[in-house]
Amino acid sequence: MKNGKKIVLALLLVLTMSIGLLSGCGSTDSSKKETTATAEATSSTDSATMPEVTWATEPKEGDAIDEEVDVTVTFNNDEIEVTGDNAKSMTSVKDTTLTITKAGTYVISGTLKDGRIVVDTEDEEKVKIILNGVMLSNDSTSAVYVVSAPKEVILSANKNSVNIISDGEEYDESDESGAAIYAKDDLQLSGKGSLYVTGNYKKGIVSKDDLHIKNLSLYVKADDDAIRGKDSVSVENAYIYAEAEQDGIRSSNETDTEKGDIEITDSEIYLTVKQDGIQSVRNLTLTNTKAVIDAQGEETKSTETKSSETKSSETKSTENKSTDTAKESSTESSSGSDSSSTTGDLGELKSQGGMGQKPGNGEKPSGGGGPKNGEKPDDSQMPQNGEKPDDSQMPENGEKPEDGQMPEGNQNAEGGQDNPMAEFDSQGTSSQGLQAVGTMTVTGGNITILDSTEGLEASKIVVEDATFHITATDDGINAATDDSSVTPTFIMNSGYIVISAEGDGVDTNGDATIKGGTLLIYGPTNGGNGALDYDSGFKVEEGATVLAVGSSGMAQGFSESSASLEFTCDVEAGDIMSIQDSDGNVVCTFEAPKNYQCVVFTSPDITKGEEYTVYTGGSVDGDNTDGIYEDGSYKGGSTIGTVTAK
């Protein structure tokens, strides 16, 4: 969320009218096809819920093992039995600690209390450990500890087996490990069985090098991060369910610029966390993946914001009584029009790109330039019904606001510097659904972010044929960086994105380009944010559909589009809005879950220069998907004015 958006004035005209048939908003994009995750195919426009998981309490052996095994290990509560021709030369046993010293394939089964598996070898070949019905716990340190393995350690859950690993709640101060499974070298978790890991002390799984997760059903609970790979994390064809007090999946190498990527492919991910769902210190790539993330964040909104929102809602409720009376008096008409009605123009939204410029990065309008956050303009600031704002109320096309209206320099209203990557300050803990310092690329798949401070955050965000449902207490999508040499950007090539944000819907400290697909934004209700917020530009190419509604106090329209409708209004949550062309064809009918005073809309059905009539109220007997009515009929509405497509 940035400050630095300009104030626009609202104009509301209420006239009675009725309307006929309707359609959805724009054409159906090819991105609404079915995408396949690991376990099931889901419609790309569907949001998802968190599954109910019953934590395993008993181990279970799986199928017969059909590969060559060097050593067989059996756990028997407080004893370890090792068999195999080279067992003594490849392992050592001391009390309840098994140490593997040679490369090879090991099969382990049984239950071991307060035990440990240690891998410490200088061999250049892989160490593969097949878990076949293992329950391993340790009271005071990590249960699995890889000290040295130059090639890689593979921890594999045998097909159809159930395996359970946990550590203790307290470690010795000198203990360098801090996870139930801890590896200093590369670690691969794989197999077609199940692995349950509980990090009672801090983290669940840690690799200080690369961490690979493949073909595995992995369940993790952690008192810190659930899954962390310092140099990289790669997930392929896996099912991951994690609950964490901090991050769900994270990379952490901040010093080597060539390391720290996270890549997830053809997988299902379910994360309930208190901080970030997935956090990469470099790049984050998701391909054909289904993810559900609840990044709870424990954030709290400021008292000022809450009180202003409440005041705005109470004022609006009183003012809308006259509107409701007008709606009740409107008559239904199957033709969708009433020739006796007179329509006026809606309030005009001044946007960047030939219609007045936005303040510089990090700036807010001065206190005397308009209404306060969450408040409506008073009579001196608001044009009378039926009138457009005069020249003194709006900057001319292409002009910037006059000097004195904006603060100087890259400062916010309080005089501080705008830091787009800052934490959620004193209001609470920041929690992102998906976060990357570098580039975030999401191709295919279905991502649902149930709760977050910000849904997506990266310096560059690219969406290709993917579906998102994002809920955020701050920005839904935030393209930002603290690297002055990088221009933040958001690019949507295709796909389907639905955002519900209390901050900005899409916020880019650089630019945004929507090349195709459907983007639906149900933005803020407070005047300090906008459905769209950008510095350099927000371009929508022909063929894309974007509907952005929210508060008008800091609103922006598109900087460039083939044709768009941009206007201010005053509509309550749950009221239906329908937009109809001059021939009575409906181009969009929707029902927003929040109050809004600004609409920015474009679709392939909008023609530049054509006049459109906007209706509110009434009822629809069609199906509602993410607020959009795709079919059915609309009746009993009232016109609030006309708007000409830019």
Side-chain angles (χ1 to χ4, degrees):
M1 176 179 65
K2 310 190 294 294
N3 301 314
K5 308 167 196 152
K6 62 192 189 51
I7 302 289
V8 294
L9 301 177
L11 174 62
L12 178 63
L13 302 176
V14 181
L15 302 171
T16 60
M17 199 168 196
S18 58
I19 192 167
L21 298 176
L22 71 155
S23 64
C25 297
S27 60
T28 301
D29 186 77
S30 60
S31 65
K32 295 186 182 181
K33 66 183 183 181
E34 290 191 347
T35 57
T36 303
T38 305
E40 61 181 334
T42 58
S43 171
S44 70
T45 57
D46 290 342
S47 60
T49 58
M50 199 68 68
E52 294 185 6
V53 172
T54 301
W55 207 256
T57 57
E58 296 292 336
K60 186 185 78 170
E61 292 189 6
D63 296 359
I65 298 171
D66 58 0
E67 60 183 290
E68 186 175 343
V69 175
D70 296 302
V71 177
T72 299
V73 180
T74 302
F75 292 156
N76 186 14
N77 293 322
D78 57 358
E79 295 181 352
I80 301 173
E81 180 183 350
V82 179
T83 59
D85 293 341
N86 299 308
K88 290 184 178 181
S89 63
M90 297 178 70
T91 65
S92 66
V93 175
K94 182 179 180 180
D95 298 327
T96 55
T97 297
L98 168 70
T99 301
I100 295 172
T101 58
K102 296 293 183 180
T105 300
Y106 301 76
V107 174
I108 303 177
S109 60
T111 296
L112 185 64
K113 298 178 180 179
D114 198 17
R116 199 180 203 194
I117 299 172
V118 176
V119 178
D120 191 357
T121 180
E122 297 301 321
D123 290 354
E124 295 295 332
E125 293 80 25
K126 294 180 180 180
V127 174
K128 183 174 184 179
I129 301 171
I130 301 174
L131 303 176
N132 187 28
V134 169
M135 176 176 279
L136 173 63
S137 62
N138 193 293
D139 295 339
S140 59
T141 187
S142 56
V144 176
Y145 181 33
V146 178
V147 178
S148 175
K151 184 65 175 180
E152 182 182 45
V153 171
I154 301 173
L155 199 61
S156 177
N158 185 38
K159 185 176 182 180
N160 292 325
S161 68
V162 175
N163 305 276
I164 305 166
I165 294 175
S166 63
D167 66 353
E169 294 182 0
E170 299 291 337
Y171 280 27
D172 187 275
E173 291 183 359
S174 62
D175 196 331
E176 63 179 345
S177 65
I181 299 175
Y182 184 90
K184 289 186 174 182
D185 288 315
D186 293 348
L187 175 65
Q188 179 186 132
L189 303 177
S190 60
K192 295 184 178 181
S194 299
L195 176 60
Y196 292 79
V197 179
T198 301
N200 291 305
Y201 176 59
K202 286 186 179 179
K203 299 170 180 63
I205 300 165
V206 170
S207 169
K208 301 299 287 185
D209 280 342
D210 297 323
L211 175 61
H212 307 279
I213 302 172
K214 185 177 181 180
N215 300 326
L216 179 67
S217 293
L218 177 63
Y219 304 82
V220 184
K221 290 182 180 179
D223 200 50
D224 193 291
D225 298 339
I227 299 168
R228 179 188 285 200
K230 180 179 180 180
D231 290 349
S232 72
V233 179
S234 65
V235 180
E236 181 182 350
N237 197 35
Y239 178 102
I240 297 176
Y241 174 91
E243 299 175 8
E245 290 299 309
Q246 294 194 27
D247 299 331
I249 300 174
R250 181 183 178 187
S251 62
S252 59
N253 192 331
E254 298 181 2
T255 58
D256 190 334
T257 58
E258 299 299 317
K259 296 181 179 180
D261 290 350
I262 296 179
E263 297 184 6
I264 301 176
T265 305
D266 297 326
S267 297
E268 282 193 56
I269 311 291
Y270 300 93
L271 306 173
T272 300
V273 298
K274 292 294 180 65
Q275 293 191 13
D276 297 337
I278 303 176
Q279 182 194 70
S280 171
V281 295
R282 294 291 174 261
N283 304 311
L284 172 60
T285 303
L286 282 78
T287 305
N288 296 329
T289 290
K290 177 181 179 180
V292 180
I293 298 172
D294 187 351
Q296 297 166 347
E298 298 181 348
E299 72 286 339
T300 57
K301 298 180 68 177
S302 68
T303 303
E304 179 181 357
T305 302
K306 285 183 178 180
S307 62
S308 65
E309 288 182 10
T310 302
K311 180 177 180 181
S312 175
S313 177
E314 291 173 350
T315 304
K316 185 172 181 181
S317 176
T318 302
E319 293 180 352
N320 275 328
K321 288 181 180 179
S322 60
T323 304
D324 293 338
T325 303
K327 289 178 184 177
E328 290 171 2
S329 65
S330 67
T331 59
E332 299 178 7
S333 171
S334 60
S335 64
S337 63
D338 184 346
S339 59
S340 64
S341 296
T342 304
T343 58
D345 290 330
L346 292 157
E348 184 179 7
L349 173 65
K350 296 293 183 181
S351 65
Q352 185 176 0
M355 294 190 63
Q357 298 298 310
K358 176 178 181 263
N361 184 16
E363 298 175 350
K364 282 184 180 179
S366 63
K372 302 296 183 183
N373 289 359
E375 297 180 353
K376 292 185 177 182
D378 59 28
D379 293 340
S380 65
Q381 298 168 320
M382 181 73 79
Q384 298 303 309
N385 286 355
E387 298 178 352
K388 289 185 177 179
D390 60 29
D391 294 340
S392 66
Q393 295 169 316
M394 282 291 186
E396 295 294 330
N397 288 355
E399 294 182 352
K400 294 182 179 180
E402 294 181 288
D403 294 338
Q405 293 178 319
M406 306 295 172
E408 295 294 330
N410 186 31
Q411 294 185 339
N412 57 35
E414 290 74 30
Q417 297 298 313
D418 187 21
N419 181 6
M421 299 297 283
E423 289 293 311
F424 197 54
D425 57 50
S426 60
Q427 296 180 21
T429 302
S430 177
S431 61
Q432 279 70 34
L434 303 176
Q435 184 185 48
V437 174
T439 299
M440 179 188 303
T441 304
V442 183
T443 304
N446 193 326
I447 313 297
T448 299
I449 298 176
L450 299 172
D451 192 8
S452 65
T453 303
E454 292 186 335
L456 313 182
E457 183 182 68
S459 60
K460 181 178 182 180
I461 301 171
V462 181
V463 174
E464 180 88 43
D465 199 26
T467 291
F468 283 89
H469 287 81
I470 298 170
T471 301
T473 59
D474 195 2
D475 301 338
I477 294 177
N478 184 23
T481 180
D482 55 4
D483 186 347
S484 60
S485 67
V486 175
T487 300
T489 186
F490 167 52
I491 301 172
M492 181 176 177
N493 292 316
S494 58
Y496 182 84
I497 301 176
V498 183
I499 297 171
S500 176
E502 294 180 25
D504 302 317
V506 173
D507 180 351
T508 170
N509 290 5
D511 54 51
T513 303
I514 311 301
K515 298 182 178 181
T518 298
L519 173 61
L520 307 177
I521 300 173
Y522 301 109
T525 56
N526 68 83
N529 296 284
L532 304 178
D533 178 9
Y534 56 90
D535 282 0
S536 302
F538 199 106
K539 178 181 179 181
V540 182
E541 297 185 358
E542 187 173 0
T545 295
V546 180
L547 173 65
V549 303
S551 59
S552 62
M554 295 286 186
Q556 289 180 275
F558 306 128
S559 63
E560 183 180 345
S561 66
S562 58
S564 66
L565 304 177
E566 302 175 3
F567 57 90
T568 59
C569 54
D570 197 352
V571 181
E572 288 192 335
D575 281 357
I576 298 167
M577 175 174 283
S578 187
I579 302 172
Q580 188 179 30
D581 67 18
S582 57
D583 294 326
N585 300 311
V586 174
V587 295
C588 186
T589 300
F590 66 94
E591 180 181 333
K594 305 177 182 180
N595 299 349
Y596 59 96
Q597 297 80 41
C598 171
V599 176
V600 180
F601 174 63
T602 184
S603 82
D605 296 327
I606 299 296
T607 303
K608 187 174 183 178
E610 184 170 335
E611 187 176 78
Y612 294 83
T613 304
V614 181
Y615 305 86
T616 61
S619 61
V620 184
D621 60 9
D623 295 328
N624 182 322
T625 302
D626 297 320
I628 305 299
Y629 289 94
E630 296 289 347
D631 52 21
S633 60
Y634 171 77
K635 59 185 178 180
S638 304
T639 180
I640 60 171
T642 61
V643 60
T644 301
K646 301 177 182 180

